[in-house]
Amino acid sequence: MSFLVVGLLHIVVVLLNFQNDGSQPFSPAEAEARMGSVAAFYSAESGGQVTFENVVEGWVTIADTNEGCDIYNWAALANDTIDTITYDHIIYVPSSAPGCLPKADQGGSRVWIPAPRFYLDPISHELGHNFGLQHANALSCVDGSGFRVTISETCQSLEYFDYYATMGLGTGFSAYEKAALGWATPTTVTKSGIYALPVRVPRTTSARLGVT
């Protein structure tokens, strides 16, 4: 289930480090700049229907170590220092989190992205989960002889492997996703004819494994 995502979103980025690792991989100003890129991306994809107001807090040292990928406890400890209750979405950025992948509450408000992965694609992907979007998959089909074809009765869904979607391995949202988020209005074709489809924004692909 996805949600209508329009208007102004208030987002706080909480930069946090640990008792056993007080590193600060980048400055708060750099984090703000990266979130500016995310805001510009969402504004472009939504046709200006979504805007972000970003606030960066930290670095905050929490009373825990970076072991065990204990992201929910890390969030609770960070919240003891930073007031996050007034924001629509909270992005927690651990300075280091061995073995942890980016993660988000599906249909919720919280995102966790380790500092080495805090850049446009993972941030946009995980916020997509907050907005209710699932992974964008690819369909791999073969014919009766085992040769790959466009479509058949023998197909396999490959999770993540849509190379043209933010919720897969690419950049951008599909027409289906835009409609689900309230950024596009589908048109129902009721009769035969010639219809012109608008040119979509060119997409780029990125080998972006390691997001959830």
Side-chain angles (χ1 to χ4, degrees), residues 29-43 52 54 120 123:
E30 174 62 23
E32 189 169 346
R34 297 184 192 186
M35 284 302 299
S37 296
V38 177
F41 169 72
Y42 267 93
S43 177
F52 288 7
N54 299 316
L120 174 62
I123 301 168

mmCIF file with all atom_site columns, all heavy atoms in Angstrom, residues 29-43 52 54 120 123:
data_model
loop_
_atom_site.group_PDB
_atom_site.id
_atom_site.type_symbol
_atom_site.label_atom_id
_atom_site.label_alt_id
_atom_site.label_comp_id
_atom_site.label_asym_id
_atom_site.label_entity_id
_atom_site.label_seq_id
_atom_site.pdbx_PDB_ins_code
_atom_site.Cartn_x
_atom_site.Cartn_y
_atom_site.Cartn_z
_atom_site.occupancy
_atom_site.B_iso_or_equiv
_atom_site.pdbx_formal_charge
_atom_site.auth_seq_id
_atom_site.auth_comp_id
_atom_site.auth_asym_id
_atom_site.auth_atom_id
_atom_site.pdbx_PDB_model_num
ATOM 1   N N   . ALA A 1 29  ? 27.138 20.155 7.133  1.00 0.00 ? 29  ALA A N   1
ATOM 2   C CA  . ALA A 1 29  ? 26.883 20.921 5.912  1.00 0.00 ? 29  ALA A CA  1
ATOM 3   C C   . ALA A 1 29  ? 26.874 20.013 4.687  1.00 0.00 ? 29  ALA A C   1
ATOM 4   O O   . ALA A 1 29  ? 26.054 20.197 3.772  1.00 0.00 ? 29  ALA A O   1
ATOM 5   C CB  . ALA A 1 29  ? 27.955 22.005 5.746  1.00 0.00 ? 29  ALA A CB  1
ATOM 6   N N   . GLU A 1 30  ? 27.763 19.015 4.658  1.00 0.00 ? 30  GLU A N   1
ATOM 7   C CA  . GLU A 1 30  ? 27.772 18.062 3.546  1.00 0.00 ? 30  GLU A CA  1
ATOM 8   C C   . GLU A 1 30  ? 26.499 17.220 3.561  1.00 0.00 ? 30  GLU A C   1
ATOM 9   O O   . GLU A 1 30  ? 25.921 16.941 2.503  1.00 0.00 ? 30  GLU A O   1
ATOM 10  C CB  . GLU A 1 30  ? 29.003 17.159 3.635  1.00 0.00 ? 30  GLU A CB  1
ATOM 11  C CG  . GLU A 1 30  ? 29.038 16.028 2.609  1.00 0.00 ? 30  GLU A CG  1
ATOM 12  C CD  . GLU A 1 30  ? 29.072 16.510 1.169  1.00 0.00 ? 30  GLU A CD  1
ATOM 13  O OE1 . GLU A 1 30  ? 29.503 17.668 0.921  1.00 0.00 ? 30  GLU A OE1 1
ATOM 14  O OE2 . GLU A 1 30  ? 28.676 15.742 0.280  1.00 0.00 ? 30  GLU A OE2 1
ATOM 15  N N   . ALA A 1 31  ? 26.045 16.803 4.736  1.00 0.00 ? 31  ALA A N   1
ATOM 16  C CA  . ALA A 1 31  ? 24.788 16.050 4.833  1.00 0.00 ? 31  ALA A CA  1
ATOM 17  C C   . ALA A 1 31  ? 23.623 16.881 4.305  1.00 0.00 ? 31  ALA A C   1
ATOM 18  O O   . ALA A 1 31  ? 22.744 16.375 3.591  1.00 0.00 ? 31  ALA A O   1
ATOM 19  C CB  . ALA A 1 31  ? 24.534 15.635 6.282  1.00 0.00 ? 31  ALA A CB  1
ATOM 20  N N   . GLU A 1 32  ? 23.618 18.167 4.638  1.00 0.00 ? 32  GLU A N   1
ATOM 21  C CA  . GLU A 1 32  ? 22.551 19.047 4.151  1.00 0.00 ? 32  GLU A CA  1
ATOM 22  C C   . GLU A 1 32  ? 22.594 19.168 2.639  1.00 0.00 ? 32  GLU A C   1
ATOM 23  O O   . GLU A 1 32  ? 21.547 19.178 1.968  1.00 0.00 ? 32  GLU A O   1
ATOM 24  C CB  . GLU A 1 32  ? 22.684 20.414 4.810  1.00 0.00 ? 32  GLU A CB  1
ATOM 25  C CG  . GLU A 1 32  ? 21.510 21.331 4.540  1.00 0.00 ? 32  GLU A CG  1
ATOM 26  C CD  . GLU A 1 32  ? 21.530 22.582 5.403  1.00 0.00 ? 32  GLU A CD  1
ATOM 27  O OE1 . GLU A 1 32  ? 22.292 22.619 6.384  1.00 0.00 ? 32  GLU A OE1 1
ATOM 28  O OE2 . GLU A 1 32  ? 20.768 23.509 5.091  1.00 0.00 ? 32  GLU A OE2 1
ATOM 29  N N   . ALA A 1 33  ? 23.799 19.243 2.074  1.00 0.00 ? 33  ALA A N   1
ATOM 30  C CA  . ALA A 1 33  ? 23.930 19.330 0.621  1.00 0.00 ? 33  ALA A CA  1
ATOM 31  C C   . ALA A 1 33  ? 23.410 18.060 -0.056 1.00 0.00 ? 33  ALA A C   1
ATOM 32  O O   . ALA A 1 33  ? 22.730 18.126 -1.091 1.00 0.00 ? 33  ALA A O   1
ATOM 33  C CB  . ALA A 1 33  ? 25.387 19.569 0.245  1.00 0.00 ? 33  ALA A CB  1
ATOM 34  N N   . ARG A 1 34  ? 23.706 16.919 0.513  1.00 0.00 ? 34  ARG A N   1
ATOM 35  C CA  . ARG A 1 34  ? 23.225 15.662 -0.060 1.00 0.00 ? 34  ARG A CA  1
ATOM 36  C C   . ARG A 1 34  ? 21.707 15.576 0.019  1.00 0.00 ? 34  ARG A C   1
ATOM 37  O O   . ARG A 1 34  ? 21.053 15.109 -0.917 1.00 0.00 ? 34  ARG A O   1
ATOM 38  C CB  . ARG A 1 34  ? 23.871 14.473 0.651  1.00 0.00 ? 34  ARG A CB  1
ATOM 39  C CG  . ARG A 1 34  ? 25.383 14.422 0.485  1.00 0.00 ? 34  ARG A CG  1
ATOM 40  C CD  . ARG A 1 34  ? 25.986 13.183 1.116  1.00 0.00 ? 34  ARG A CD  1
ATOM 41  N NE  . ARG A 1 34  ? 27.447 13.279 1.189  1.00 0.00 ? 34  ARG A NE  1
ATOM 42  C CZ  . ARG A 1 34  ? 28.248 12.307 1.582  1.00 0.00 ? 34  ARG A CZ  1
ATOM 43  N NH1 . ARG A 1 34  ? 27.727 11.133 1.948  1.00 0.00 ? 34  ARG A NH1 1
ATOM 44  N NH2 . ARG A 1 34  ? 29.551 12.467 1.629  1.00 0.00 ? 34  ARG A NH2 1
ATOM 45  N N   . MET A 1 35  ? 21.140 16.035 1.120  1.00 0.00 ? 35  MET A N   1
ATOM 46  C CA  . MET A 1 35  ? 19.685 16.041 1.226  1.00 0.00 ? 35  MET A CA  1
ATOM 47  C C   . MET A 1 35  ? 19.068 17.037 0.253  1.00 0.00 ? 35  MET A C   1
ATOM 48  O O   . MET A 1 35  ? 17.935 16.843 -0.211 1.00 0.00 ? 35  MET A O   1
ATOM 49  C CB  . MET A 1 35  ? 19.268 16.364 2.663  1.00 0.00 ? 35  MET A CB  1
ATOM 50  C CG  . MET A 1 35  ? 19.451 15.210 3.632  1.00 0.00 ? 35  MET A CG  1
ATOM 51  S SD  . MET A 1 35  ? 18.550 13.707 3.162  1.00 0.00 ? 35  MET A SD  1
ATOM 52  C CE  . MET A 1 35  ? 16.846 14.309 3.188  1.00 0.00 ? 35  MET A CE  1
ATOM 53  N N   . GLY A 1 36  ? 19.805 18.097 -0.075 1.00 0.00 ? 36  GLY A N   1
ATOM 54  C CA  . GLY A 1 36  ? 19.325 19.012 -1.100 1.00 0.00 ? 36  GLY A CA  1
ATOM 55  C C   . GLY A 1 36  ? 19.178 18.331 -2.440 1.00 0.00 ? 36  GLY A C   1
ATOM 56  O O   . GLY A 1 36  ? 18.226 18.595 -3.196 1.00 0.00 ? 36  GLY A O   1
ATOM 57  N N   . SER A 1 37  ? 20.098 17.420 -2.745 1.00 0.00 ? 37  SER A N   1
ATOM 58  C CA  . SER A 1 37  ? 20.007 16.651 -3.991 1.00 0.00 ? 37  SER A CA  1
ATOM 59  C C   . SER A 1 37  ? 18.791 15.732 -3.964 1.00 0.00 ? 37  SER A C   1
ATOM 60  O O   . SER A 1 37  ? 18.108 15.554 -4.983 1.00 0.00 ? 37  SER A O   1
ATOM 61  C CB  . SER A 1 37  ? 21.282 15.824 -4.193 1.00 0.00 ? 37  SER A CB  1
ATOM 62  O OG  . SER A 1 37  ? 22.406 16.665 -4.347 1.00 0.00 ? 37  SER A OG  1
ATOM 63  N N   . VAL A 1 38  ? 18.517 15.144 -2.806 1.00 0.00 ? 38  VAL A N   1
ATOM 64  C CA  . VAL A 1 38  ? 17.338 14.275 -2.677 1.00 0.00 ? 38  VAL A CA  1
ATOM 65  C C   . VAL A 1 38  ? 16.061 15.091 -2.861 1.00 0.00 ? 38  VAL A C   1
ATOM 66  O O   . VAL A 1 38  ? 15.124 14.673 -3.548 1.00 0.00 ? 38  VAL A O   1
ATOM 67  C CB  . VAL A 1 38  ? 17.330 13.564 -1.308 1.00 0.00 ? 38  VAL A CB  1
ATOM 68  C CG1 . VAL A 1 38  ? 16.072 12.724 -1.138 1.00 0.00 ? 38  VAL A CG1 1
ATOM 69  C CG2 . VAL A 1 38  ? 18.571 12.686 -1.155 1.00 0.00 ? 38  VAL A CG2 1
ATOM 70  N N   . ALA A 1 39  ? 16.030 16.266 -2.263 1.00 0.00 ? 39  ALA A N   1
ATOM 71  C CA  . ALA A 1 39  ? 14.864 17.139 -2.403 1.00 0.00 ? 39  ALA A CA  1
ATOM 72  C C   . ALA A 1 39  ? 14.639 17.528 -3.855 1.00 0.00 ? 39  ALA A C   1
ATOM 73  O O   . ALA A 1 39  ? 13.491 17.531 -4.349 1.00 0.00 ? 39  ALA A O   1
ATOM 74  C CB  . ALA A 1 39  ? 15.040 18.388 -1.540 1.00 0.00 ? 39  ALA A CB  1
ATOM 75  N N   . ALA A 1 40  ? 15.717 17.853 -4.566 1.00 0.00 ? 40  ALA A N   1
ATOM 76  C CA  . ALA A 1 40  ? 15.600 18.228 -5.975 1.00 0.00 ? 40  ALA A CA  1
ATOM 77  C C   . ALA A 1 40  ? 15.104 17.056 -6.808 1.00 0.00 ? 40  ALA A C   1
ATOM 78  O O   . ALA A 1 40  ? 14.286 17.230 -7.725 1.00 0.00 ? 40  ALA A O   1
ATOM 79  C CB  . ALA A 1 40  ? 16.953 18.717 -6.501 1.00 0.00 ? 40  ALA A CB  1
ATOM 80  N N   . PHE A 1 41  ? 15.577 15.857 -6.492 1.00 0.00 ? 41  PHE A N   1
ATOM 81  C CA  . PHE A 1 41  ? 15.148 14.655 -7.213 1.00 0.00 ? 41  PHE A CA  1
ATOM 82  C C   . PHE A 1 41  ? 13.654 14.418 -7.020 1.00 0.00 ? 41  PHE A C   1
ATOM 83  O O   . PHE A 1 41  ? 12.908 14.203 -7.989 1.00 0.00 ? 41  PHE A O   1
ATOM 84  C CB  . PHE A 1 41  ? 15.947 13.450 -6.720 1.00 0.00 ? 41  PHE A CB  1
ATOM 85  C CG  . PHE A 1 41  ? 15.420 12.126 -7.194 1.00 0.00 ? 41  PHE A CG  1
ATOM 86  C CD1 . PHE A 1 41  ? 15.573 11.736 -8.514 1.00 0.00 ? 41  PHE A CD1 1
ATOM 87  C CD2 . PHE A 1 41  ? 14.769 11.269 -6.317 1.00 0.00 ? 41  PHE A CD2 1
ATOM 88  C CE1 . PHE A 1 41  ? 15.076 10.515 -8.956 1.00 0.00 ? 41  PHE A CE1 1
ATOM 89  C CE2 . PHE A 1 41  ? 14.276 10.054 -6.743 1.00 0.00 ? 41  PHE A CE2 1
ATOM 90  C CZ  . PHE A 1 41  ? 14.428 9.679  -8.064 1.00 0.00 ? 41  PHE A CZ  1
ATOM 91  N N   . TYR A 1 42  ? 13.184 14.474 -5.788 1.00 0.00 ? 42  TYR A N   1
ATOM 92  C CA  . TYR A 1 42  ? 11.764 14.232 -5.532 1.00 0.00 ? 42  TYR A CA  1
ATOM 93  C C   . TYR A 1 42  ? 10.892 15.334 -6.126 1.00 0.00 ? 42  TYR A C   1
ATOM 94  O O   . TYR A 1 42  ? 9.784  15.069 -6.611 1.00 0.00 ? 42  TYR A O   1
ATOM 95  C CB  . TYR A 1 42  ? 11.506 14.079 -4.026 1.00 0.00 ? 42  TYR A CB  1
ATOM 96  C CG  . TYR A 1 42  ? 11.551 12.639 -3.571 1.00 0.00 ? 42  TYR A CG  1
ATOM 97  C CD1 . TYR A 1 42  ? 12.713 12.083 -3.082 1.00 0.00 ? 42  TYR A CD1 1
ATOM 98  C CD2 . TYR A 1 42  ? 10.426 11.825 -3.654 1.00 0.00 ? 42  TYR A CD2 1
ATOM 99  C CE1 . TYR A 1 42  ? 12.774 10.758 -2.679 1.00 0.00 ? 42  TYR A CE1 1
ATOM 100 C CE2 . TYR A 1 42  ? 10.455 10.506 -3.253 1.00 0.00 ? 42  TYR A CE2 1
ATOM 101 C CZ  . TYR A 1 42  ? 11.629 9.975  -2.769 1.00 0.00 ? 42  TYR A CZ  1
ATOM 102 O OH  . TYR A 1 42  ? 11.664 8.649  -2.380 1.00 0.00 ? 42  TYR A OH  1
ATOM 103 N N   . SER A 1 43  ? 11.375 16.555 -6.105 1.00 0.00 ? 43  SER A N   1
ATOM 104 C CA  . SER A 1 43  ? 10.620 17.643 -6.720 1.00 0.00 ? 43  SER A CA  1
ATOM 105 C C   . SER A 1 43  ? 10.467 17.411 -8.218 1.00 0.00 ? 43  SER A C   1
ATOM 106 O O   . SER A 1 43  ? 9.380  17.573 -8.782 1.00 0.00 ? 43  SER A O   1
ATOM 107 C CB  . SER A 1 43  ? 11.317 18.979 -6.461 1.00 0.00 ? 43  SER A CB  1
ATOM 108 O OG  . SER A 1 43  ? 10.635 20.032 -7.096 1.00 0.00 ? 43  SER A OG  1
ATOM 109 N N   . PHE A 1 52  ? 10.807 19.371 0.176  1.00 0.00 ? 52  PHE A N   1
ATOM 110 C CA  . PHE A 1 52  ? 11.399 18.966 1.446  1.00 0.00 ? 52  PHE A CA  1
ATOM 111 C C   . PHE A 1 52  ? 11.891 20.198 2.201  1.00 0.00 ? 52  PHE A C   1
ATOM 112 O O   . PHE A 1 52  ? 12.444 21.120 1.598  1.00 0.00 ? 52  PHE A O   1
ATOM 113 C CB  . PHE A 1 52  ? 12.611 18.047 1.236  1.00 0.00 ? 52  PHE A CB  1
ATOM 114 C CG  . PHE A 1 52  ? 12.294 16.656 0.770  1.00 0.00 ? 52  PHE A CG  1
ATOM 115 C CD1 . PHE A 1 52  ? 11.011 16.276 0.420  1.00 0.00 ? 52  PHE A CD1 1
ATOM 116 C CD2 . PHE A 1 52  ? 13.306 15.712 0.686  1.00 0.00 ? 52  PHE A CD2 1
ATOM 117 C CE1 . PHE A 1 52  ? 10.737 14.990 -0.016 1.00 0.00 ? 52  PHE A CE1 1
ATOM 118 C CE2 . PHE A 1 52  ? 13.049 14.423 0.255  1.00 0.00 ? 52  PHE A CE2 1
ATOM 119 C CZ  . PHE A 1 52  ? 11.762 14.054 -0.102 1.00 0.00 ? 52  PHE A CZ  1
ATOM 120 N N   . ASN A 1 54  ? 14.597 20.325 5.034  1.00 0.00 ? 54  ASN A N   1
ATOM 121 C CA  . ASN A 1 54  ? 15.556 19.440 5.689  1.00 0.00 ? 54  ASN A CA  1
ATOM 122 C C   . ASN A 1 54  ? 16.257 20.142 6.842  1.00 0.00 ? 54  ASN A C   1
ATOM 123 O O   . ASN A 1 54  ? 16.671 21.296 6.723  1.00 0.00 ? 54  ASN A O   1
ATOM 124 C CB  . ASN A 1 54  ? 16.607 18.959 4.688  1.00 0.00 ? 54  ASN A CB  1
ATOM 125 C CG  . ASN A 1 54  ? 15.997 18.176 3.544  1.00 0.00 ? 54  ASN A CG  1
ATOM 126 O OD1 . ASN A 1 54  ? 15.135 17.332 3.741  1.00 0.00 ? 54  ASN A OD1 1
ATOM 127 N ND2 . ASN A 1 54  ? 16.438 18.458 2.323  1.00 0.00 ? 54  ASN A ND2 1
ATOM 128 N N   . LEU A 1 120 ? 22.417 9.893  -2.736 1.00 0.00 ? 120 LEU A N   1
ATOM 129 C CA  . LEU A 1 120 ? 21.100 10.065 -3.352 1.00 0.00 ? 120 LEU A CA  1
ATOM 130 C C   . LEU A 1 120 ? 20.304 8.777  -3.496 1.00 0.00 ? 120 LEU A C   1
ATOM 131 O O   . LEU A 1 120 ? 19.151 8.701  -3.043 1.00 0.00 ? 120 LEU A O   1
ATOM 132 C CB  . LEU A 1 120 ? 21.271 10.724 -4.724 1.00 0.00 ? 120 LEU A CB  1
ATOM 133 C CG  . LEU A 1 120 ? 19.999 10.858 -5.572 1.00 0.00 ? 120 LEU A CG  1
ATOM 134 C CD1 . LEU A 1 120 ? 18.968 11.735 -4.890 1.00 0.00 ? 120 LEU A CD1 1
ATOM 135 C CD2 . LEU A 1 120 ? 20.333 11.410 -6.951 1.00 0.00 ? 120 LEU A CD2 1
ATOM 136 N N   . ILE A 1 123 ? 19.128 6.958  -0.153 1.00 0.00 ? 123 ILE A N   1
ATOM 137 C CA  . ILE A 1 123 ? 18.194 7.810  0.589  1.00 0.00 ? 123 ILE A CA  1
ATOM 138 C C   . ILE A 1 123 ? 16.834 7.831  -0.104 1.00 0.00 ? 123 ILE A C   1
ATOM 139 O O   . ILE A 1 123 ? 15.782 7.650  0.526  1.00 0.00 ? 123 ILE A O   1
ATOM 140 C CB  . ILE A 1 123 ? 18.739 9.239  0.726  1.00 0.00 ? 123 ILE A CB  1
ATOM 141 C CG1 . ILE A 1 123 ? 20.084 9.252  1.458  1.00 0.00 ? 123 ILE A CG1 1
ATOM 142 C CG2 . ILE A 1 123 ? 17.740 10.127 1.471  1.00 0.00 ? 123 ILE A CG2 1
ATOM 143 C CD1 . ILE A 1 123 ? 20.810 10.595 1.380  1.00 0.00 ? 123 ILE A CD1 1
#
